[in-house]
Structures are given as C-alpha cells and as structure tokens.
Amino acid sequence: SAVISQKPSRDICQRGTSLTIQCQVDSQVTMMFWYRQQPGQSLTLIATANQGSEATYESGFVIDKFPISRPNLTFSTLTVSNMSPEDSSIYLCSVVEELAKNIQYFGAGTRLSVL
Amino acid sequence: GENVEQHPSTLSVQEGDSAVIKCTYSDSASNYFPWYKQELGKGPQLIIDIRSNVGEKKDQRIAVTLNKTAKHFSLHITETQPEDSAVYFCAATLKGYSSASKIIFGSGTRLSIRP
C-alpha cells in the first residue's frame, strides 16, 4: 500500500490564525481525501481533493474555512482558516490507489489544538 | 444514504478471550466492508475487509462475517493480546468509488484487553 506522510504531526495554534497541513504520498494515487476526527469520535469526511480542480466538500464544510489544494497525484494540502477552539481535532489524509478496489489508506494524522 | 451503526462502544475482555464487534448497515447496495484499527496517536489502519460475495474471511486471529440478508457484519478477534487494545471502526461502501459511494464509518469501539 501507499506510504502517506502528513506534516505537521501536531500543532498548537492561537485562535484567528490559519494552519496548512500537508499530505505527501510515495506513489501516484487516484483519490485523496481529508477527514476530521474530533476527540473520541468517528471520522467525518471534509472533502475530496481533486487534482487540478476545486475540492468537493461535504455538507457542513466550506471552502473558505477549509481550502484544499491538490496540484498533482501525490500531494495535497488542507488549510484550517481563522481557527477557533472548536477546530481542535485530528485531521487525517487518506488515499485510494485503485478505484476498482476502493480501499482507503490513512496517514498518521495532524493533532491540532487551538487556544 | 448509507448509515452504519456499531456496537458496543466500549469492550473489555480478559487476555486470551475472544472479542466480537458488530455493525449494521442500511444501504443494501453496499458491497465492501473494511475494518480499521486505530491505536493511540496513530491514523486508522486497515486490518481486514470483506466483499459482499463472501460470507466470512479470516486472517490469523481476526475474522469477519457478513450477513447480507440481515445487513450486518461482525469482527471477531480470538486469543486476544494486549496489543489488540485500540479503537476499531467498521465501515461500508460500494466497490468502484464514485462521488456517490463514500466510505461511511461506524462510531467506533474502544477495546481494552485486561492482563
């Protein structure tokens, strides 16, 4: 399976600031996704990162708050903008290598605390 | 859309005993059911999966069963060991990903193995 690297692994930020999280994959993948996992909760899909075009956001998530880029088939970024304490979560990148199999692999996540 | 329910939310078993986690899904079109294990401070790791054309799959101490008629599937861990302590997530989706066939995760089960 693809090796997924996320940076940073954790961060503590002040409210009102923004943080950009990077996801790098060691091979070209078909699909890339961003999830949020609030403390003690399940995984919630934020958006699908589309290569060369705007991301597809899930209900409750908007581009102004979570801008996403995917310039190529191995790299994506998620920005958490104008942060508040409610944004304190784990943010996870995941990938699907082959559409036909639809198996998702996850990065280790970015643990974000907003003060 | 698909909805996945997972029980129990917490489970404590004696080392060496078996653990069973159960999930139900709502969309009869779902045909792929992965299970993820998330250890503290890490991202979810795929541990086993099953497709709708089989009723059971086993990998060493881990097995998954699927009942399509009842729309439920279960994870069985035998001879539990301390390293099995983690949060386990079931999920359901359609093989052959499209924008309409996201992976839907259960709420998670926190498994603790007592020495």
Side-chain angles (χ1 to χ4, degrees), chain B residues 13 18 23-24 27 38 48-49 52 69-70 75 77 94 102 105 112:
Chain B
V13 302
S18 297
C23 290
T24 60
D27 189 346
Q38 187 174 26
I48 195 168
D49 55 13
S52 60
T69 302
L75 177 71
I77 306 174
L94 291 171
K102 299 185 291 287
F105 289 88
S112 300

Side-chain angles (χ1 to χ4, degrees), chain A residues 25 27-32 51 70-75 95:
Chain A
V25 192
S27 60
Q28 294 185 346
V29 295
T30 306
M31 309 287 289
M32 295 182 77
Q51 192 240 338
R70 188 181 173 193
N72 55 51
L73 293 176
T74 64
F75 185 78
V95 305

Side-chain angles (χ1 to χ4, degrees), chain A residues 59-81:
Chain A
S59 176
F61 297 96
V62 296
I63 187 171
D64 290 346
K65 177 67 176 177
F66 298 101
I68 288 170
S69 77
R70 188 181 173 193
N72 55 51
L73 293 176
T74 64
F75 185 78
S76 178
T77 66
L78 167 74
T79 299
V80 186
S81 303

Side-chain angles (χ1 to χ4, degrees), chain A residues 31 33 35 37 40-43 45 48 58 90 92 96 99-109 111, chain B residues 32 36 38-44 46 49 51 89 93-98 101-103 105-108 110:
Chain A
M31 309 287 289
F33 307 92
Y35 286 82
Q37 186 178 29
Q41 302 297 313
S42 187
L43 290 78
L45 181 64
T48 302
E58 297 301 306
I90 300 171
L92 294 151
V96 169
L99 278 180
K101 293 184 177 179
N102 195 19
I103 299 175
Q104 280 200 24
Y105 298 100
F106 286 84
R111 282 143 186 82
Chain B
Y32 174 59
Y36 289 86
Q38 187 174 26
E39 296 175 293
L40 193 63
K42 298 184 179 180
L46 180 69
D49 55 13
R51 300 192 184 272
F89 292 98
T93 189
L94 291 171
K95 179 182 176 181
Y97 183 89
S98 72
S101 56
K102 299 185 291 287
I103 287 185
F105 289 88
S107 54
R110 183 173 299 278

Side-chain angles (χ1 to χ4, degrees), chain B residues 23-108:
Chain B
C23 290
T24 60
Y25 62 99
S26 60
D27 189 346
S28 57
S30 291
N31 60 6
Y32 174 59
F33 307 92
W35 286 86
Y36 289 86
K37 174 184 181 182
Q38 187 174 26
E39 296 175 293
L40 193 63
K42 298 184 179 180
Q45 178 188 5
L46 180 69
I47 57 171
I48 195 168
D49 55 13
I50 191 168
R51 300 192 184 272
S52 60
N53 57 346
V54 299
E56 182 174 359
K57 183 177 178 180
K58 190 173 183 179
D59 182 3
Q60 299 183 332
R61 296 187 297 107
I62 295 174
V64 58
T65 60
L66 171 65
N67 183 326
K68 287 192 298 182
T69 302
K71 290 189 282 188
H72 65 71
F73 56 113
S74 301
L75 177 71
H76 304 252
I77 306 174
T78 58
E79 302 174 11
T80 53
Q81 300 171 3
E83 54 265 35
D84 295 329
S85 294
V87 178
Y88 292 81
F89 292 98
C90 63
T93 189
L94 291 171
K95 179 182 176 181
Y97 183 89
S98 72
S99 61
S101 56
K102 299 185 291 287
I103 287 185
I104 306 300
F105 289 88
S107 54

